[in-house]
Amino acid sequence: MAEINTNDIVRPENLTYVKSKILTDNVMHYCPGCGHSTAHRVLAEVIEEEDLQSRTVGITPVGCSVLMYNYIDVDFQEAAHGRAPALATAVKRLMPEKFVFTYQGDGDLAAIGTAETIHTCNRGENILILFINNGIYGMTGGQMAPTTLEGMKSSTSPYGREVATMGSPIKMADIVALLPGTCYVTRQSVNTAGGVRKLKRALKKAVQYQNEKRGTCFIEVVSNCPSGWKMTPVESNKWMEENMFPFYPLGDIKVPAE
Amino acid sequence: MAKIKGAVVIDRERCKGCEVCVVTCPTQTLALAVEVNAKGYHYSYAANPDACIGCANCAVVCPDGVITVYKVKVG
Ligand SMILES: Cc1ncc(C[n+]2csc(CCOP(=O)(O)OP(=O)(O)O)c2C)c(N)n1
Ligand code: SF4
Ligand code: SF4
Ligand code: SF4
């Protein structure tokens, strides 16, 4: 058999994977290996595959992902810190035909924005909340977040989080799953190919449920922050698997009745 | 028996050298280069291109979407 070389394989008819055109050509400002980038890429793929580009409105948070609108080519509105679900409520109520999502870090969603998160879910607003939980305030220098694990070091818990004085890490997905307004609550990851593919399926379900007006969809992505955790990207993913996943187990927490 | 052969094209200048693709590849096709790109990152490249099976796992985990994957059936 004749050997086949790379030039024979790299042809348009053999294309297996290329990034979505909805992900712009701007180089993302995220640190190497940051899960924010992967989450953006997957979301862009879903928007393309579901043909949602012209009817999507995203709400960006304050945090590392504040500039998300530079990377995904859909309409966006920037919210004040923690207020994305309130803004998403307004956008969806005024333009119910739009696919509306918020994209929020754990400082944004689980600290300053706790009230908006809980009440938006409780009202069952017909939006998707995409929650990137990296257990830390990435943008401002790795301060402790409500989601920081017990014993985990951060710039404001240099000896590790102590539950007696700082409280326990908070599981937002489990909390909002208790509210009748949420229809779909799931926890996913982006550090493995299998995890990314599962997140993609979860996002497609959230699109379907929003089309069917089922209520609030809440997708948590347990993610890394190599810079804030002071690890290489590969080390951070390993640390996440060993420490974050046992406390924030992956999988569906609430699924709608068929 | 039909065999699948794959090939990857990596946008060297957009790669941030995070190594996530390297550890994900089931066939040890990829490695980080000793040289760096214009941004100073040790970029990923197909060090062992013949091993690639076109599974796309590397591209699916690449945070920055810089890997394009092709595959063909041979034999
Ligand atoms: C009203 C207000 N308070 C505080 C800040 C400072 N601030 C900016 S980002 C941030 C936390 C971001 O952390 P997180 O939401 O976890 O996102 P990450 O950067 O980790 O993705 C804080 C406290 C601000 N910009 N506005
Ligand atoms: S600081 Fe952390 S969350 Fe922010 S871009 Fe860097 S790795 Fe990602
Ligand atoms: S396509 Fe699969 S086999 Fe080829 S380099 Fe990527 S991960 Fe490795
Ligand atoms: S995963 Fe992407 S950015 Fe990271 S080293 Fe591989 S090609 Fe470069």
Side-chain angles (χ1 to χ4, degrees):
Chain A
M1 190 182 72
E3 267 309 303
I4 180 159
N5 67 30
T6 304
N7 290 338
D8 299 320
I9 306 173
V10 179
R11 289 196 176 143
E13 65 270 26
N14 300 330
L15 185 64
T16 303
Y17 181 94
V18 64
K19 82 161 181 70
S20 166
K21 287 184 288 298
I22 294 192
L23 198 69
T24 67
D25 286 332
N26 297 328
V27 175
M28 292 192 262
H29 69 279
Y30 301 112
C31 307
C34 176
H36 273 305
S37 322
T38 325
H40 284 22
R41 191 173 47 72
V42 181
L43 183 60
E45 280 173 23
V46 170
I47 290 171
E48 178 174 1
E49 288 170 26
E50 299 287 308
D51 199 17
L52 291 171
Q53 186 178 26
S54 61
R55 68 171 185 95
T56 295
V57 181
I59 315 290
T60 47
V62 170
C64 281
S65 49
V66 67
L67 301 174
M68 180 180 195
Y69 43 75
N70 286 333
Y71 309 130
I72 301 187
D73 190 11
V74 297
D75 287 340
F76 273 104
Q77 174 72 52
E78 173 63 52
H81 206 3
R83 312 303 177 226
L87 207 48
T89 298
V91 171
K92 187 69 183 183
R93 287 190 181 198
L94 289 167
M95 295 181 282
E97 72 287 0
K98 298 286 185 189
F99 172 67
V100 178
F101 72 88
T102 73
Y103 184 102
Q104 303 175 259
D106 42 333
D108 192 86
L109 179 143
I112 195 169
T114 315
E116 281 74 9
T117 307
I118 302 259
H119 292 293
T120 300
C121 290
N122 192 46
R123 293 191 306 269
E125 299 295 341
N126 199 28
I127 62 162
L128 163 65
I129 295 178
L130 184 51
F131 168 39
I132 310 296
N133 177 8
N134 57 18
I136 210 163
Y137 290 5
M139 185 196 212
T140 43
Q143 291 83 0
M144 192 183 89
T147 47
T148 301
L149 296 178
E150 184 177 353
M152 182 173 166
K153 290 188 177 137
S154 71
S155 60
T156 49
S157 59
Y159 304 109
R161 183 180 190 155
E162 183 196 61
V163 168
T165 51
M166 303 168 201
S168 297
I170 192 163
K171 297 184 180 184
M172 289 306 287
D174 297 75
I175 291 174
V176 301
L178 297 172
L179 303 171
T182 51
C183 72
Y184 178 49
V185 180
T186 187
R187 201 183 274 121
Q188 302 291 336
S189 66
V190 289
N191 60 310
T192 61
V196 170
R197 291 184 173 109
K198 279 191 192 149
L199 172 64
K200 197 165 164 181
R201 286 200 287 275
L203 286 166
K204 288 191 174 185
K205 282 188 195 159
V207 171
Q208 182 200 327
Y209 299 146
Q210 190 170 138
N211 287 342
E212 295 168 0
K213 302 185 177 56
R214 297 268 198 124
T216 311
C217 292
F218 186 100
I219 301 181
E220 172 173 343
V221 177
V222 183
S223 191
N224 62 349
C225 175
S227 299
W229 297 357
K230 306 196 190 324
M231 295 176 195
T232 67
V234 171
E235 284 165 4
S236 74
N237 283 337
K238 188 161 179 284
W239 191 89
M240 177 173 67
E241 283 173 11
E242 289 169 0
N243 297 277
M244 298 278 279
F245 292 175
F247 190 79
Y248 298 112
L250 305 183
D252 290 343
I253 297 168
K254 185 178 188 179
V255 288
E258 282 316 314
Chain B
M1 203 185 78
K3 236 179 94 185
I4 306 284
K5 283 221 60 154
V8 291
V9 176
I10 300 177
D11 188 340
R12 176 185 298 193
E13 289 308 320
R14 296 172 67 94
C15 170
K16 294 179 183 164
C18 71
E19 212 179 0
V20 170
C21 56
V22 175
V23 299
T24 298
C25 175
T27 62
Q28 285 81 48
T29 299
L30 305 173
L32 294 190
V34 177
E35 307 85 65
V36 294
N37 62 17
K39 288 232 172 79
Y41 294 122
H42 293 278
Y43 55 86
S44 171
Y45 75 111
N48 188 14
D50 288 339
C52 180
I53 53 169
C55 68
N57 283 358
C58 54
V60 168
V61 294
C62 172
D64 289 87
V66 308
I67 307 181
T68 305
V69 183
Y70 299 83
K71 73 173 178 210
V72 285
K73 259 198 198 127
V74 291

